[in-house]
Amino acid sequence: MKISNAQRCPFTSVGYVKTQQQRLLESCWLTAKKKQVVQRFTQPNLEQLVSLLNDNISPDLISQACIEIMANLPQNINLAFINNLLKEPSLQSVAKLVVRKVLLQQHSSNLIALIDLQTLYFAFSVSKNPAVQALVESELTVFVDSQADLKDIVTGFNFLCQSELVNSPLMSLFLLSLSWEQVNAIGNYASRNLATEGVLQVLLQSGFVKLLPLVNASLNKIENPSSLIALMRRMLGDKLELLVDFETQIRACQGDQQACADFKQQLQLNWPKYEEQFASLRLIAGNAMTAKLNAIEISAMDCYSQAVFNLHRYYQHLAAKKLTAGVSA
């Protein structure tokens, strides 16, 4: 669960999580050696998972155990396991969490192509049995391009909001596919239809750094600004330390009221020094969305940002292939 909690934290790098996973693997091998048994990873057994769930083991713990086993199995076996898991009604809570956690894994870039958007919608939506039509619609919303009609964009945005996915990887993917003009229009629409916190979450997920001062100015209007500070960190990565010192970021994200006030004050004070450098940027974890990152740069990301980055890169690749095919035809 230490690994699971680290993956949720906007301040924990992928590299740190990978180190913890390696320690867990070494512990498994050591335990097996002491017991003089063969250490071998196999596809999780559904009947055993049902039994664990019936014994009141939390779905979060069960799903994390599955994920750590899957990290040592070929992707074709993992995909078969996920498909079987999704078909088992008694394990739907575990299935949702497994798919969510797969997105946060170091190998997520390989599995993203194998897990469609309908499955991701199932994993992140609050509904236990989303309608087939809803699943189809969820897939359409994220293929909006810069030439799309505003009416269609608003329809997609409303669908994600009604699915309670305002702050989710799917909303991030949707917003990152839009132009500045479209994001501005969505922001104005959201301000008339969502609570203040939801509006600010939407703005930050678009990746446009120039929106940071606007969000910062409203921090004191939000009862619990932790989600906004997490999104700021996920936008700027360690570049946020130019604006707010690291300890203040952490304490503010943990809900410390004085730290939240200090966070707002520091960002407001330091923004003018970096406005020229930052205002034109659109970032994920401090990286341009089109950046070709090396292994070190990827390991410096937090897990959630890496997932969004991989999702965006994959679906931009699909869109480019579709466009090329259209031109060729």
Side-chain angles (χ1 to χ4, degrees), residues 298-319:
I298 289 175
S299 69
M301 284 183 165
D302 69 280
C303 294
Y304 188 101
S305 296
Q306 187 203 41
V308 171
F309 183 84
N310 285 337
L311 274 176
H312 179 262
R313 182 168 56 181
Y314 175 69
Y315 282 101
Q316 287 295 301
H317 170 69
L318 283 191

Side-chain angles (χ1 to χ4, degrees), residues 144 148-157 174:
V144 178
D149 184 88
L150 183 59
K151 182 179 178 181
D152 293 333
I153 293 172
V154 170
T155 298
F157 178 73
F174 171 75

Side-chain angles (χ1 to χ4, degrees), residues 68-139:
E68 300 310 328
I69 292 170
M70 291 167 67
N72 298 280
L73 295 174
Q75 300 296 41
N76 62 321
I77 293 179
N78 288 336
L79 187 61
F81 168 64
I82 291 171
N83 288 334
N84 291 335
L85 192 60
L86 291 169
K87 294 174 185 176
E88 177 53 59
S90 61
L91 289 171
Q92 293 300 283
S93 60
V94 175
K96 279 177 173 280
L97 287 166
V98 164
V99 175
R100 286 191 191 189
K101 290 171 184 289
V102 159
L103 193 60
L104 299 178
Q105 292 302 295
Q106 183 72 0
H107 57 281
S108 64
S109 57
N110 298 322
L111 278 173
I112 282 173
L114 304 176
I115 300 178
D116 59 29
L117 290 169
Q118 294 182 12
T119 305
L120 288 178
Y121 172 81
F122 160 77
F124 286 94
S125 67
V126 295
S127 173
K128 293 182 179 179
N129 297 295
V132 174
Q133 184 58 41
L135 292 173
V136 172
E137 190 173 0
S138 74
E139 185 165 359

